[in-house]
Amino acid sequence: KGTAGRLEIASVASLAESLLPPAVARLRRDLPGVVVEVVTLPSAAVVQHVADRRADLGLIYDPADNPHVASQSLRDAAAVCAVPRRHPLARRAALEPADLAGVTLIGYRGDTRIGGAVRRAFAAAGLRKEPELTTDSTRVAMRLVAAGIGIAVVDPFLFGVPGPPAVVSVPFQPSIPLRARLIRSRERPQSGIAAAFGRILAAAAAG
């Protein structure tokens, strides 16, 4: 019989949709009395929530540059282009800034890891290009692509869950490496439930 308790998780939205569900399902099978709360936030807010001990655990991509937070690597990946399935560029092995210069670009803000890296990649290629549409949501970016509005450079994790069938992923070059991380407070003793979930999540991410 499961032990009752509570687990509060803060996460960026795409990891909450991709990595969390199977891990939460396993935790609930092992500990059916556990109440789980998941809140989706931008990466910086996830770090702050964990540092302030408002969440037991957090899921982010960026390094947690906060002395009050410890991190554990879960999975390495790289940003991809989300392309309409019928677009001519959908058949390419990889896409570079020059390939995207003439299309409507959907992107993240410049102060995000991917958003900043994409802007630097265009600048390094000698191209002046800013996203015509900006969002902080990978899911919204993929829906905009599915509507035929343009091409987005996004994190790849939502391609592992059901999404718009009209969208395919194509690697972006130069590579923008991403590392999914589990974070916790250095100053908050970790509960048994949080520790168990961390093990479950790490195993699920590795598989």
Side-chain angles (χ1 to χ4, degrees):
K1 185 176 180 179
T3 302
R6 186 178 186 87
L7 180 65
E8 299 175 352
I9 305 167
S11 176
V12 296
S14 59
L15 293 180
E17 290 191 52
S18 57
L19 294 187
L20 275 185
V24 171
R26 170 63 188 275
L27 179 72
R28 290 277 302 161
R29 287 196 298 271
D30 292 349
L31 301 171
V34 171
V35 174
V36 180
E37 178 181 353
V38 177
V39 58
T40 57
L41 298 165
S43 183
V46 171
V47 174
Q48 198 60 51
H49 258 61
V50 173
D52 292 344
R53 293 176 282 183
R54 286 180 282 168
D56 299 293
L57 299 169
L59 275 172
I60 59 170
Y61 296 114
D62 303 327
D65 295 326
N66 186 307
H68 305 291
V69 168
S71 70
Q72 171 188 348
S73 297
L74 293 174
R75 183 185 293 177
D76 290 338
V80 298
C81 295
V83 185
R85 184 176 296 276
R86 297 182 181 275
H87 196 284
L89 293 178
R91 296 187 292 273
R92 297 285 291 273
L95 294 173
E96 301 178 355
D99 300 314
L100 303 179
V103 305
T104 297
L105 183 64
I106 302 164
Y108 303 116
R109 300 188 314 272
D111 60 353
T112 63
R113 180 173 178 78
I114 297 178
V118 168
R119 287 164 175 81
R120 290 190 294 273
F122 274 97
L127 299 169
R128 297 184 63 182
K129 178 76 170 177
E130 286 283 332
E132 285 84 0
L133 287 86
T134 303
T135 178
D136 61 358
S137 166
T138 303
R139 179 67 70 184
V140 170
M142 290 176 66
R143 292 294 180 185
L144 293 171
V145 172
I149 295 172
I151 292 175
V153 182
V154 298
D155 70 78
F157 288 95
L158 284 185
F159 282 97
V161 298
V167 178
V168 298
S169 67
V170 179
F172 178 78
Q173 295 293 334
S175 178
I176 302 174
L178 302 170
R179 177 167 290 175
R181 301 171 186 265
L182 177 68
I183 61 173
R184 60 177 178 80
S185 171
R186 294 184 185 275
E187 300 168 358
R188 178 180 188 172
Q190 192 172 39
S191 69
I193 293 170
F197 183 75
R199 291 191 295 271
I200 291 170
L201 184 62

